[in-house]
Amino acid sequence: MTTRIGVVTFPGTLDDRDSLRAVRLAGAEPVSLWHRDKDLHQVDAVVLAGGFSYGDYLRAGAISRFSPVMETIIEQARAGMPVLGICNGFQVLTEAHLLPGAMLRNNHLHFICRDQKLRVENAESAWTGDYTAGQEISVPLKNMDGRYVADERTLDELEAEGRVAFRYLDVNPNGSLRDIAGITNAEGNVVGLMPHPEHAVEPLVGTGRTDGLPFFTSVLKKLVSA
């Protein structure tokens, strides 16, 4: 039976096609999901792709959080379905309270686009099992509202529970507290990441590396073994 991974398109989503391609390269069947459709069409996991949904009006991800598809995704995520939010998708996950904290404007107030080194902190989530803890990877980063913030109690809980999934290395590109680049929920099925692994899945494009592909192979192996 083929594993189906859905990728949601909101108005203003930019990286849905890249995410669909990454899913296909990992060996799963990519399924396009439209934001106004509550039906997830029998997918086994969901990716909220990057971009600027609804032009980032109000706050990044704040309007998309109320799209009809999110009602089903929130319900299924709480029931254990793997969900990955990349960049704008991460912002949507915080707005939907599937992940704690919030994403604010970069501390230097500029859009940033660069290859970014990360350290893998958690290799036990549904989306990180093909990495090893402490591994260093490089994937593209491009955002305007990428500064992860949370109160000290939440940050301490994330650290204590091993829920910081990725941390920025060498340079903190946006002022994220404690150099946090990605986090996971307590159950490990929901992951949010600000950099873009879907742009680092084959050697001819993006970084010229495949450091991002394990996100998609990880969830595929997790679902097959479940």
Side-chain angles (χ1 to χ4, degrees):
M1 183 176 177
T2 303
T3 300
R4 293 162 55 86
I5 300 179
V7 177
V8 179
T9 300
F10 299 100
T13 296
L14 302 178
D15 300 305
D16 44 351
R17 290 182 180 272
D18 301 80
S19 297
L20 289 164
R21 181 175 179 80
V23 167
R24 184 168 62 253
L25 288 171
E29 178 185 347
V31 179
S32 295
L33 299 176
W34 183 237
H35 73 112
R36 292 186 62 82
D37 187 359
K38 288 185 178 182
D39 188 352
L40 298 185
H41 301 281
Q42 293 80 51
V43 299
D44 303 292
V46 170
V47 177
L48 301 178
F52 299 89
S53 60
Y54 290 95
D56 280 350
Y57 291 117
L58 300 182
R59 292 183 310 275
I63 300 177
S64 296
R65 175 260 181 274
F66 293 102
S67 289
V69 73
M70 286 305 299
E71 181 179 328
T72 311
I73 289 173
I74 291 169
E75 176 184 298
Q76 291 301 307
R78 290 175 175 162
M81 173 181 279
V83 178
L84 173 64
I86 303 170
C87 196
N88 188 232
F90 188 5
Q91 295 159 345
V92 174
L93 289 178
T94 61
E95 291 288 338
H97 304 297
L98 287 174
L99 292 174
M103 310 303 300
L104 300 182
R105 188 64 49 92
N106 295 342
N107 61 345
H108 45 72
L109 302 181
H110 294 287
F111 178 83
I112 188 169
C113 182
R114 53 168 289 161
D115 290 344
Q116 177 65 49
K117 286 184 66 176
L118 304 173
R119 182 174 63 244
V120 180
E121 302 284 17
N122 180 325
E124 299 179 4
S125 79
W127 298 91
T128 59
D130 270 356
Y131 293 109
T132 58
Q135 182 178 349
E136 296 182 7
I137 65 174
S138 178
V139 295
L141 172 77
K142 51 176 188 174
N143 63 70
M144 183 68 184
D145 299 87
R147 177 161 55 109
Y148 180 75
V149 299
D151 61 84
E152 286 297 312
R153 179 179 176 181
T154 298
L155 292 169
D156 288 343
E157 287 179 353
L158 290 173
E159 300 277 12
E161 296 172 8
R163 291 169 53 196
V164 176
F166 295 87
R167 232 182 278 271
Y168 295 115
L169 282 182
D170 295 344
V171 62
N172 184 324
N174 44 38
S176 290
L177 296 181
R178 304 195 189 181
D179 299 327
I180 291 174
I183 61 173
T184 178
N185 67 343
E187 294 73 24
N189 64 301
V190 179
V191 170
L193 179 77
M194 188 47 57
H196 287 261
E198 78 281 12
H199 295 325
V201 294
E202 52 188 340
L204 292 179
V205 296
T207 60
R209 301 160 59 121
T210 58
D211 290 5
L213 190 58
F215 273 89
F216 305 94
T217 57
S218 293
V219 74
L220 179 57
K221 291 178 182 178
K222 178 74 172 180
L223 290 167
V224 169
S225 64

